Amino acid sequence: MTTPITLDPGHVTLAQLRRIHAGGVQLTLDPSAQAGMQAALATVQRIVEEDQVVYGINTGFGKLASTKIAHERLAELQRNLVLSHSVGTGEALPDGVVRLVLATKAVSLARGHSGIRPAIVDALLALANANVLPVIPAKGSVGASGDLAPLAHLACVLIGEGQATVDGKVVSGREALAAVGLQPFVLGPKEGLALLNGTQVSTALALAGLFGAEDVFCAALVAGALSLEAIKGSVKPFDARIHAARGQAGQIAVAAAVRALLDGSQIDPSHPHCGRVQDPYSIRCIPQVMGACLDNLQHAARVLRTEANAASDNPLVFTDTNEVISGGNFHAEPVAFAADIIALAVAEIGAISERRLSLLLDPGLSGLPAFLIRDSGVNSGFMIAQVTAAALAAENQCLAHPSSVTSLPTSANQEDHVSMATYGARRLLDMVRNAAVMVGIEAMSAAQGMEFDRSLKSSPLVEEQFAAIRRRVAFLEQDRYLAPDIEAMRAWVQGEAAWPAPLTACLPSHQ
């Protein structure tokens, strides 16, 4: 069962992009895009026919931009450009990221500023729809002039070179095209450059990081609610008046989401005189910390949605004046900044989750058995699971260092400042996985803590999530091999869980 999605260049939504990343989609281009593409193509053809000298159409590239190329060698120029730039290294990008690259490259080219044949856009969508995915090495881009090396590997498939996967098997580019009923393209003027220039790989990686961060964010709110109930914490710090007095939008939204999660709990009203004056910050300041993370994710989402719809190759064709203008939309600084603030959010979501986990294991703070095991001493319980969480929290803190402040010049100093957006976005995948493990361990541990007193029920929404955890992980009566439980909880965070509506209402890709 596939979901049909019509791509309207300039207006593709985050919800559509998230669905493309997940797979099982059939993509079509809005017919209104055809006129703009044809007009831009006609402009490029006119320049070639009139033998005007225009960068990217009949000149060399980068430092060689002043070298004019003879008309009879223009096809050779574009082919050589693609082949010479296919220098990526490392593991192949994940399938979901490649689908996003294909879709966003098609959207960018269909904006009508690239001057390429519509048939090339159709080919990109045909590959995505058939799940015939170019093999794109993950490393080798500095994020300006666009994602040259990884996009060259995509373009290689269109000319019958490189590699792609068909039904999970790696085949040649020529075989991949045949699988969708196409012959290799002979690229025309500017077409190779338009395919290689652009921020689509950085943007796709950052979107994948954003969507993963959304799942981790929801799971962390659930885990925080479970932890609060397990220690019989106070809901007073979530009072709407506190957060309205500060006025931070994310904080207000998170406090409301947690109140909705806990609505109807029997546990909170059961201990009004327990003597607990204040909970530790990791519980009491969930709205403040997670709200700031949400604000970061919201801002990054706005930037990435814009970039996913952008014409980011170079030069750009403006058909109203018949001009082709060289600029720098390929510079991925907006994506680099967005990736950096997503990284900050993911690191903090994991960090505060690990602190709640530590709280749960400490009987002096939680009031629960040491390390959440009845026969402690003989049993270590969740002691070393917290060590794993601490190790991953430290790793994420290192990975959260901003990549956008790093720049090394390339192309004989013609490209003298670069964004490093591709690495900045790529590291988000590792960070999200680390955070998913941390939050999963917390949720598993909080469910364990709740089971020491089940005389009262939590709210319906929290009980739903508790039951979902128990379907994956059993109560820890005595020490057992915990690695499979941790993996099961990571999978719960990363896509298996159905998050309650009050949580998804906060998410950029659900709005």
Side-chain angles (χ1 to χ4, degrees):
M1 182 69 178
T2 58
T3 301
I5 294 177
T6 299
L7 300 173
D8 183 4
H11 304 284
V12 177
T13 68
L14 283 171
Q16 290 175 318
L17 293 165
R18 184 174 177 120
R19 193 69 193 85
I20 293 167
H21 179 252
V25 295
Q26 195 72 16
L27 305 177
T28 57
L29 188 66
D30 191 289
S32 64
Q34 293 294 325
M37 287 192 288
Q38 292 288 2
L41 176 61
T43 298
V44 171
Q45 290 173 335
R46 184 162 47 252
I47 286 169
V48 172
E49 290 166 2
E50 295 174 357
D51 204 28
Q52 299 177 38
V53 179
V54 177
Y55 171 72
I57 295 177
N58 49 17
T59 71
F61 308 105
K63 197 72 171 177
L64 304 175
S66 59
T67 303
K68 185 178 184 300
I69 309 300
H71 185 277
E72 64 272 12
R73 304 195 71 183
L74 293 183
E76 180 186 0
L77 171 71
Q78 297 298 319
R79 180 179 176 83
N80 286 349
L81 175 71
V82 171
L83 294 174
S84 68
H85 284 54
S86 300
V87 293
T89 188
E91 295 182 1
L93 293 176
D95 288 356
V97 171
V98 178
R99 274 193 300 274
L100 281 172
V101 174
L102 289 167
T104 54
K105 175 53 80 174
V107 167
S108 179
L109 296 175
R111 287 292 302 273
H113 294 294
S114 298
I116 70 157
R117 287 168 287 171
I120 290 179
V121 174
D122 294 340
L124 293 172
L125 297 181
L127 292 171
N129 289 337
N131 210 35
V132 174
L133 303 177
V135 175
I136 302 177
K139 298 181 181 181
S141 174
V142 295
S145 296
D147 294 312
L148 294 171
L151 287 173
H153 284 274
L154 179 152
C156 264
V157 174
L158 294 177
I159 64 172
E161 301 289 346
Q163 294 179 319
T165 58
V166 177
D167 296 326
K169 177 186 175 184
V170 176
V171 302
S172 70
R174 183 176 291 272
E175 291 174 282
L177 286 178
V180 295
L182 293 174
Q183 293 292 321
F185 285 87
V186 176
L187 298 177
K190 196 182 177 299
E191 289 183 333
L193 185 60
L195 286 165
L196 268 58
N197 260 184
T199 62
Q200 286 77 37
V201 172
S202 299
T203 302
L205 283 164
L207 284 167
L210 172 69
F211 302 148
E214 289 182 329
D215 286 333
V216 168
F217 173 86
C218 287
L221 290 186
V222 169
L226 288 163
S227 293
L228 184 148
E229 294 285 70
I231 68 167
K232 295 184 170 61
S234 174
V235 298
K236 290 180 180 178
F238 301 88
D239 189 303
R241 293 168 294 181
I242 294 173
H243 309 289
R246 191 179 205 181
Q248 294 287 354
Q251 179 178 327
I252 291 168
V254 167
V258 174
R259 289 196 306 274
L261 268 181
L262 294 170
D263 186 40
S265 171
Q266 299 172 0
I267 296 173
D268 175 65
S270 72
H271 53 91
H273 308 297
C274 63
R276 185 190 295 272
V277 178
Q278 289 184 326
D279 294 318
Y281 290 177
S282 60
I283 297 288
R284 192 181 357 145
C285 296
I286 286 173
Q288 288 79 6
V289 175
M290 295 293 286
C293 293
L294 178 59
D295 286 336
N296 265 10
L297 296 180
Q298 292 279 12
H299 173 70
R302 287 190 293 272
V303 172
L304 295 177
R305 181 183 182 276
T306 298
E307 196 68 15
N309 282 281
S312 59
D313 63 288
N314 185 62
L316 294 178
V317 180
F318 296 92
T319 57
D320 54 341
T321 57
N322 288 320
E323 289 182 276
V324 178
I325 305 175
S326 185
N329 281 2
F330 51 69
H331 199 298
E333 195 82 349
V335 181
F337 280 10
D340 281 346
I341 65 172
I342 294 170
L344 294 175
V346 172
E348 282 297 273
I349 291 168
I352 196 170
S353 174
E354 185 278 327
R355 288 294 79 207
R356 289 192 299 267
L357 171 61
S358 179
L359 163 64
L360 288 165
L361 304 188
D362 184 342
L365 291 173
S366 69
L368 298 167
F371 302 108
L372 300 175
I373 196 81
R374 286 197 177 97
D375 192 10
S376 57
V378 172
N379 293 292
S380 296
F382 291 86
M383 178 192 296
I384 307 304
Q386 186 266 331
V387 174
T388 295
L392 296 177
E395 183 174 315
N396 271 7
Q397 287 163 10
C398 293
L399 287 170
H401 179 83
S403 69
S404 58
V405 298
T406 302
S407 178
L408 288 171
T410 60
S411 192
N413 284 311
Q414 174 75 6
E415 298 156 5
D416 58 351
H417 181 276
V418 299
S419 71
M420 299 309 296
T422 324
Y423 163 72
R426 177 165 51 82
R427 52 88 195 255
L428 294 177
L429 306 186
D430 286 339
M431 293 187 69
V432 164
R433 193 185 194 286
N434 289 345
V437 173
M438 287 184 264
V439 172
I441 293 173
E442 182 202 350
M444 174 173 67
S445 302
Q448 177 86 359
M450 286 179 65
E451 290 232 52
F452 290 113
D453 181 4
R454 292 295 280 159
S455 60
L456 298 171
K457 296 290 186 183
S458 184
S459 67
L461 289 180
V462 170
E463 289 293 336
E464 257 180 48
Q465 297 301 316
F466 176 87
I469 292 167
R470 278 290 166 259
R471 286 194 293 273
R472 292 163 175 80
V473 174
F475 181 79
L476 189 66
E477 291 283 1
Q478 59 185 26
D479 285 347
R480 64 172 182 258
Y481 184 46
L482 276 179
D485 293 345
I486 291 172
E487 176 57 22
M489 290 304 298
R490 181 206 61 77
W492 171 76
V493 174
Q494 290 194 280
E496 283 188 1
W499 304 122
L503 304 189
T504 58
C506 298
L507 302 181
S509 72
H510 288 68
Q511 294 171 0

